[in-house]
Amino acid sequence: MNTEKLDYLLQRIEGYIENHEVLKLDISKASVGWHLDHSLKVVNAVVKTLQESDPTTYKNNFSFVGKVFFALGFFPRGKAKAPKHVKPPEVVLKEDIILQLEIAKTNIKTISSLDNNAYFKHPLFRHINKKRVVRFLVLHTNHHVKIINEITS
């Protein structure tokens, strides 16, 4: 289980924390802080769900759309809505981002010790198990890091 790319992306996130209030509406309706908070909420929620999942109920039903996006290596912009439980609050606090980042760093270290059929249910891609989860988290986090990079450029 290689998490180097995810570790690198978390370092990138850490580097953007000082710019959490920056907003550039021609790039995104959301601030840098929103993208940081959302990305970290996704990492932490996914790992928590994997940890709590029952591997015996895993179904290999990864969707065709998921296979296409994983093969392409990116997610298109503006096509998906963040589920409520990973949506940032109205005001994103720097302290909250820092805390979530530390939790995310710890959480990703636990993935390798999980059962191979630990999984979470994605609304579009269906079941994503341990084998695919790091790729998902890298693609998702990178999607938001690219947006943040454009906002701060």
Side-chain angles (χ1 to χ4, degrees):
M1 182 84 11
N2 189 346
T3 60
E4 284 179 25
K5 286 181 183 175
L6 194 51
D7 291 330
Y8 169 74
L9 289 167
L10 291 181
Q11 288 174 358
R12 297 270 318 266
I13 281 175
E14 192 164 15
Y16 286 121
I17 292 173
E18 290 303 318
N19 297 314
H20 74 283
E21 293 180 332
V22 176
L23 181 64
K24 201 180 274 185
L25 292 174
D26 58 322
I27 304 295
S28 174
K29 289 183 255 176
S31 70
V32 167
W34 187 97
H35 288 282
L36 296 173
D37 189 271
H38 169 68
S39 296
L40 294 167
K41 275 182 173 37
V42 167
V43 169
N44 291 325
V46 164
V47 174
K48 182 175 189 252
T49 304
L50 287 173
Q51 291 167 339
E52 295 173 353
S53 70
D54 177 357
T56 65
T57 62
Y58 168 73
K59 292 183 190 108
N60 187 4
N61 63 2
F62 193 62
S63 71
F64 175 74
V65 171
K67 290 175 183 171
V68 169
F69 288 149
F70 274 45
L72 292 173
F74 75 96
F75 298 151
R77 285 197 192 170
K79 299 296 178 201
K81 290 256 188 237
K84 265 186 199 160
H85 69 284
V86 291
K87 266 195 176 158
E90 285 282 321
V91 177
V92 178
L93 301 175
K94 180 179 170 182
E95 302 76 38
D96 290 344
I97 298 168
I98 293 168
L99 178 63
Q100 288 180 84
L101 177 62
E102 293 311 309
I103 294 167
K105 287 177 183 178
T106 300
N107 276 341
I108 62 170
K109 290 176 186 164
T110 71
I111 295 171
S112 63
S113 67
L114 297 172
D115 187 283
N116 287 340
N117 286 329
Y119 72 98
F120 80 101
K121 292 178 192 173
H122 186 275
L124 188 59
F125 306 151
R126 299 197 284 266
H127 287 186
I128 298 179
N129 68 351
K130 176 181 157 179
K131 177 181 157 188
R132 290 187 170 114
V133 77
V134 173
R135 176 92 169 132
F136 169 78
L137 291 173
V138 165
L139 293 177
H140 181 268
T141 306
N142 192 53
H143 170 79
H144 288 281
V145 165
K146 287 193 303 193
I147 296 168
I148 292 165
N149 190 47
E150 283 187 41
I151 293 171
T152 58
S153 296

